[in-house]
Amino acid sequence: MPSVASKQYPDDVSLLVLLLDTNPFFWSTTSITFSQFLSHVLAFLNAVLGLNQLNQVVVIATGYSSCEYIYDSSLTSNHGSFERDRTGMPPLFASLLNKLEDFVTKDEELSREEGNEDRTPSCLLSGSLSMALCYIQRVFRSGHLHPQPRILCLQGSPDGPEQYVAVMNSIFSAQRLMVPIDSCYIGVQNSAFLQQASYITGGVHHTPKQLDGLFQYLTTIFATDLHSRGFVQLPKPIGVDFRASCFCHKKTIDMGYICSVCLSIFCEHHKKCSTCGSVFGQSKLDESSSVSDKKKKASQT
Amino acid sequence: MSNQRKRLSGEREDEDDEDAEGIGEWERAYVDDRSWEELQEDESGLLRPIDNSAIYHAQYRRRLRMLSAAAAGTRIQKGLIRYLYIVIDFSRAAAETDFRPSRIAVMAKHVEAFIREFFDQNPLSQVGLVSIKNGVAHTLTDLGGSPETHIKELMGKLEALGDSSLQNALELVNEHLSQVPSYGHREVLILYSALCTCDPGDIMDTIQKCKKSKLRCSVIGLSAEMFICKHLCQETGGLYSVAVDEVHLKDLLLEHAPPPPAIAEFAISNLIKMGFPQRAAEGSMAICSCHKEVKIGAGYMCPRCKARVCDLPTECTICGLTLVSSPHLARSYHHLFPIAPFDEVPALSSLNDSRKDLGKSCFGCQQSLNGAGNKPGPCVTCRKCKHYFCLDCDIYIHESLHNCPGCESIHRPKSVSLMEE
Ligand SMILES: [Zn+2]
Ligand SMILES: [Zn+2]
Ligand SMILES: [Zn+2]
Ligand SMILES: [Zn+2]
Ligand SMILES: [Zn+2]
Ligand SMILES: [Zn+2]
């Protein structure tokens, strides 16, 4: 799989697309509050914009029942001005916070509309990842001179196994576009989606141990532009979780049955494939093992 | 090369009345490309590339409609688990130099590219290599899932000698493929240089044998059409083609990379038990079960017995579980759950009002959907989520991303099955 270091970057101007987890079901369970978390993130975004005048930041909120663009630094013309409004906030982030507040209220309303039963407290990573890639694709279309894009997922919610196919599709598209997906996971379980995303696209995956030092983790690891990554020792992955989701119950599994026609994954033996309609014969475990025996015999002779 | 160049420059002499020998290599690049034809002047007199995005998009829509119409009729059934032998004719004829630098070098180069592409498009499939030399077929590599071993073995054996024998090759492949599991598709792809075959027996019997064992035989010729090759392909349901030049050869080869439509009687569908091992941490130390060596660095752990293996896909040497990398499988899933084509939104003023409600920018990339003069430009909409997208995103979403950003931004309860998407 291609690594970041193997590519040639002409400059160190970055476009950072930040996918911000705003899932209310996650933020009601954490040790730090959402506003504490936001203050770390805003300081980090400021740092990224300060590193290079041409750097660009786009923030997409990843909610529980919707996703939305909430900030694009290329649209705010008063990039350098330090005028503060009544709240004492730089105008740059005032618009971000306003939009974010609107989004979170709307998202909460939407999630209340849905039934309460059988709720996985996951956020819509597949949606925000798809939007980020569309945005980056537009930047690539704009001509030869564009910042080097990368995606950073800042997430704490657990994976939503029902998003498996969509998330994997996004990861492969990012890989083809050579856009690395960095991920910073602040939740309790580990995230197989984010680990695979970073591993496949050559991004960095990290799980900070102490959330009150989040700003430091963000600046030391995720502020590094792609050009500089060749010279910096970034954290190496502590293994990659390659578990998949079954198509029948949307469960995360590490062992399962694969349809030989369409490669759908199932957690238990079925008589018929629900995806392609093939009817399966008897379990041919004996046959496949006898084949491997034959192979072994052949290789010995 | 020099021959070809003479011919080219000969044509040019009557065209632009210029001494052909005087054209430099750099000039030729412009003459051949006619790159100025792709430029036009804009209002301020600056040169701009011709804006043919509308034409391009129309072509794309036609292609997409055709594809979705074809897919709607049939359930997606493709033979994704293929057991393919590539037979390369390394007889005397392969040394000929009508392909530059020689047939043998060109074949090797494109077979290498083909093998890589093949494993990308056919996860879980296996390839083996057979060569024909001195009238005898040799096994270069056994069936396996690692492109590197095949390529290494192939590159080490590049010499052309003696006669060619189609029958010997078919017999050898048939014998090898008789051992593969019944759910696999048996295929052989023959790159044939020679214009004759030197066989020990009746090749017609062998062809019938192949037909009986459901071996799909395809041949790509490098010289001229041969009756026996055509007959073989017709009998066994394969493809026969003859390459006219190197580019054609490459295209013909790559045609065999996507999985062929499964023919129900050719393979028995089955459920195969598989494990998705975790990748171990970089720099960790363990004894692998495949080489029985201490290895530092990443390896994979069998989820059933926790044994360490070096590479995927493989079969656990301890418990016999088939181990695959799950992203490898997931690469083909967009075939299973294709997204429906978006509907074109006519740029009529009557639609203005409804579009104003939904905002004037593309849901995917935030680009304004207004064209020149702040009038609504062309755009498309998703039938399910009703979001609007620009034409560029339309193409990107259907050709590369395979997700609708709008549909993905709606929470779906766990019980909704992926099939309904
Ligand atoms: Zn299941
Ligand atoms: Zn199936
Ligand atoms: Zn080993
Ligand atoms: Zn095992
Ligand atoms: Zn767009
Ligand atoms: Zn949609």
Side-chain angles (χ1 to χ4, degrees):
Chain A
M1 308 206 169
S3 71
V4 176
S6 71
K7 290 184 276 169
Q8 279 289 307
Y9 290 104
D11 53 16
D12 56 354
V13 181
S14 318
L15 160 64
L16 177 76
V17 184
L18 178 70
L19 311 183
L20 196 65
D21 185 355
T22 63
N23 182 2
F25 298 99
F26 167 71
W27 285 110
S28 58
T29 61
T30 44
S31 56
I32 66 167
T33 62
F34 187 56
S35 63
Q36 282 172 324
F37 166 74
L38 264 188
S39 63
H40 287 284
V41 174
L42 291 187
F44 166 66
L45 292 182
N46 232 345
V48 171
L49 289 174
L51 274 172
N52 191 319
Q53 212 184 347
L54 295 170
N55 276 1
Q56 193 192 336
V57 168
V58 171
V59 182
I60 302 174
T62 316
Y64 173 77
S65 38
S66 54
C67 298
E68 204 175 299
Y69 283 92
I70 52 169
Y71 179 66
D72 184 342
S73 69
S74 70
L75 297 180
T76 35
S77 47
N78 47 355
H79 194 286
S81 94
F82 286 93
E83 278 174 56
R84 279 148 198 271
D85 66 359
R86 273 170 288 125
T87 54
M89 270 288 188
L92 195 95
F93 291 134
S95 77
L96 188 157
L97 288 174
N98 281 338
K99 265 208 151 158
L100 187 61
E101 212 172 291
D102 291 348
F103 172 77
V104 171
T105 356
K106 217 167 57 192
D107 191 42
E108 247 168 312
E109 265 167 34
L110 278 173
S111 60
R112 223 170 286 134
E113 278 170 27
E114 282 170 27
N116 263 327
E117 78 282 358
D118 199 24
R119 176 160 276 168
T120 35
S122 58
C123 64
L124 288 167
L125 177 67
S126 59
S128 58
L129 213 47
S130 304
M131 285 160 84
L133 287 167
C134 282
Y135 190 94
I136 288 169
Q137 180 67 22
R138 173 182 154 200
V139 171
F140 281 140
R141 280 197 303 268
S142 66
H144 293 297
L145 275 176
H146 57 74
Q148 294 298 336
R150 65 179 193 269
I151 298 173
L152 170 59
C153 303
L154 200 47
Q155 192 187 319
S157 314
D159 291 339
E162 70 281 358
Q163 298 169 29
Y164 180 68
V165 172
V167 169
M168 294 313 283
N169 283 344
S170 311
I171 294 174
F172 297 134
S173 191
Q175 186 193 18
R176 275 190 292 270
L177 293 175
M178 309 237 269
V179 174
I181 302 175
D182 295 334
S183 49
C184 180
Y185 188 70
I186 53 175
V188 270
Q189 298 146 289
N190 67 29
S191 161
F193 284 172
L194 294 183
Q195 286 183 14
Q196 294 185 55
S198 297
Y199 175 73
I200 291 170
T201 60
V204 186
H205 177 79
H206 193 66
T207 314
K209 305 247 152 33
Q210 253 146 7
L211 285 190
D212 42 1
L214 186 64
F215 173 70
Q216 208 140 50
Y217 286 108
L218 290 174
T219 42
T220 46
I221 298 169
F222 298 106
T224 324
D225 62 79
L226 300 182
H227 180 71
S228 312
R229 287 187 187 191
F231 322 114
V232 184
Q233 276 279 320
L234 290 167
K236 292 230 163 60
I238 319 163
V240 184
D241 189 343
F242 276 129
R243 281 177 304 169
S245 305
C246 73
F247 288 16
C248 39
H249 308 87
K250 313 280 176 282
K251 260 195 316 197
T252 306
I253 51 173
D254 61 4
M255 229 188 299
Y257 295 90
I258 314 266
C259 167
S260 69
V261 178
C262 68
L263 306 186
S264 298
I265 304 174
F266 302 102
C267 62
E268 52 189 29
H269 202 283
H270 292 253
K271 287 205 176 66
K272 195 179 166 200
C273 174
S274 58
T275 311
C276 69
S278 310
V279 180
F280 303 127
Q282 285 297 301
S283 177
K284 295 278 172 70
L285 278 175
D286 330 329
E287 191 197 353
S288 66
S289 62
S290 69
V291 167
S292 65
D293 285 350
K294 267 187 228 158
K295 245 195 249 162
K296 260 170 222 152
K297 262 177 225 151
S299 63
Q300 276 160 9
T301 50
Chain B
M1 197 69 192
S2 64
N3 249 335
Q4 225 171 354
R5 191 177 295 172
K6 281 239 176 71
R7 205 164 2 105
L8 271 177
S9 51
E11 282 164 15
R12 193 150 298 117
E13 254 173 309
D14 10 287
E15 243 180 52
D16 22 311
D17 204 20
E18 196 184 315
D19 184 13
E21 304 304 327
I23 296 187
E25 204 53 52
W26 65 274
E27 278 176 296
R28 193 180 306 280
Y30 291 97
V31 173
D32 290 349
D33 280 359
R34 300 185 160 263
S35 46
W36 61 84
E37 287 181 355
E38 286 156 24
L39 292 174
Q40 67 179 10
E41 257 178 65
D42 67 1
E43 312 86 62
S44 48
L46 291 168
L47 283 179
R48 287 269 160 80
I50 287 178
D51 183 27
N52 46 13
S53 60
I55 305 163
Y56 180 64
H57 189 256
Q59 280 172 347
Y60 148 78
R61 303 249 349 148
R62 214 172 307 136
R63 198 166 63 237
L64 188 68
R65 267 199 300 274
M66 247 160 59
L67 279 176
S68 62
T74 51
R75 283 275 220 168
I76 322 106
Q77 282 208 346
K78 281 188 168 168
L80 286 165
I81 303 186
R82 304 165 67 183
Y83 292 88
L84 171 73
Y85 264 99
I86 304 174
V87 177
I88 309 173
D89 172 11
F90 282 163
S91 67
R92 209 180 295 118
E96 274 183 39
T97 52
D98 50 350
F99 287 74
R100 298 282 168 170
S102 67
R103 284 183 184 178
I104 198 166
V106 169
M107 279 194 287
K109 182 174 138 201
H110 292 297
V111 167
E112 177 185 350
F114 170 75
I115 290 175
R116 289 187 200 285
E117 182 66 26
F118 179 84
F119 281 114
D120 224 44
Q121 296 203 28
N122 303 273
L124 305 189
S125 294
Q126 298 193 3
V127 162
L129 291 177
V130 166
S131 71
I132 314 173
K133 205 180 279 182
N134 280 328
V136 186
H138 305 270
T139 312
L140 287 182
T141 53
D142 287 317
L143 283 173
S146 150
E148 299 312 320
T149 38
H150 296 305
I151 290 162
K152 208 176 119 201
E153 200 60 40
L154 172 68
M155 293 307 169
K157 295 273 161 63
L158 292 183
E159 47 170 0
L161 280 173
D163 293 313
S164 180
S165 170
L166 203 54
Q167 192 189 16
N168 282 341
L170 287 174
E171 289 283 351
L172 182 70
V173 170
N174 209 356
E175 191 189 316
H176 283 313
L177 284 176
S178 63
Q179 296 175 0
V180 308
S182 57
Y183 52 75
H185 288 257
R186 288 149 239 240
E187 287 172 71
V188 57
L189 174 60
I190 304 170
L191 286 170
Y192 209 69
S193 284
L195 277 170
C196 58
T197 165
C198 203
D199 299 328
D202 186 0
I203 190 162
M204 292 302 175
D205 291 345
T206 310
I207 292 175
Q208 288 311 315
K209 212 158 114 192
C210 292
K211 192 181 174 185
K212 214 182 282 168
S213 57
K214 289 170 182 124
L215 175 65
R216 183 179 189 261
C217 308
S218 301
V219 180
I220 298 176
L222 278 90
S223 339
E225 195 172 298
M226 277 171 75
F227 167 76
I228 193 70
C229 296
K230 198 172 180 181
H231 180 67
L232 168 70
C233 298
Q234 273 171 351
E235 283 293 298
T236 59
L239 291 173
Y240 181 50
S241 46
V242 177
V244 292
D245 58 16
E246 191 177 337
V247 182
H248 192 211
L249 173 69
K250 185 180 157 204
D251 292 344
L252 290 177
L253 255 174
L254 290 180
E255 253 171 46
H256 290 272
I263 306 156
E265 63 203 84
F266 268 45
I268 298 156
S269 52
N270 215 326
L271 274 182
I272 315 154
K273 183 146 187 149
M274 286 190 189
F276 314 117
Q278 300 217 5
R279 195 179 155 85
E282 307 281 334
S284 65
M285 215 189 287
I287 298 174
C288 78
S289 63
C290 41
H291 303 89
K292 319 263 185 311
E293 276 169 31
V294 180
K295 291 265 168 105
I296 303 168
Y300 298 87
M301 197 174 66
C302 170
R304 187 149 75 184
C305 68
K306 313 287 178 228
R308 178 84 159 241
V309 294
C310 291
D311 242 321
L312 297 180
T314 183
E315 209 167 85
C316 177
T317 42
I318 308 293
C319 69
L321 185 67
T322 309
L323 303 177
V324 292
S325 141
S326 58
H328 213 139
L329 295 181
R331 261 179 214 285
S332 63
Y333 287 160
H334 66 86
H335 291 301
L336 303 182
F337 310 109
I339 40 173
F342 291 165
D343 292 330
E344 244 162 313
V345 179
L348 290 170
S349 51
S350 60
L351 274 148
N352 251 358
D353 305 326
S354 66
R355 273 175 68 178
K356 251 174 209 145
D357 304 337
L358 281 138
K360 292 187 199 100
S361 57
C362 164
F363 185 80
C365 69
Q366 294 288 288
Q367 191 158 29
S368 165
L369 290 177
N370 284 341
N374 229 18
K375 272 179 286 188
C379 69
V380 289
T381 179
C382 169
R383 247 172 267 177
K384 281 201 194 99
C385 62
K386 309 276 186 274
H387 283 296
Y388 289 87
F389 296 93
C390 68
L391 303 188
D392 292 311
C393 280
D394 182 21
I395 297 179
Y396 172 65
I397 286 166
H398 284 94
E399 307 238 297
S400 172
L401 185 61
H402 305 298
N403 284 335
C404 170
C407 297
E408 290 308 321
S409 305
I410 300 166
H411 186 81
R412 41 176 176 229
K414 216 179 174 184
S415 52
V416 173
S417 106
L418 272 167
M419 281 182 65
E420 282 163 29
E421 282 192 41

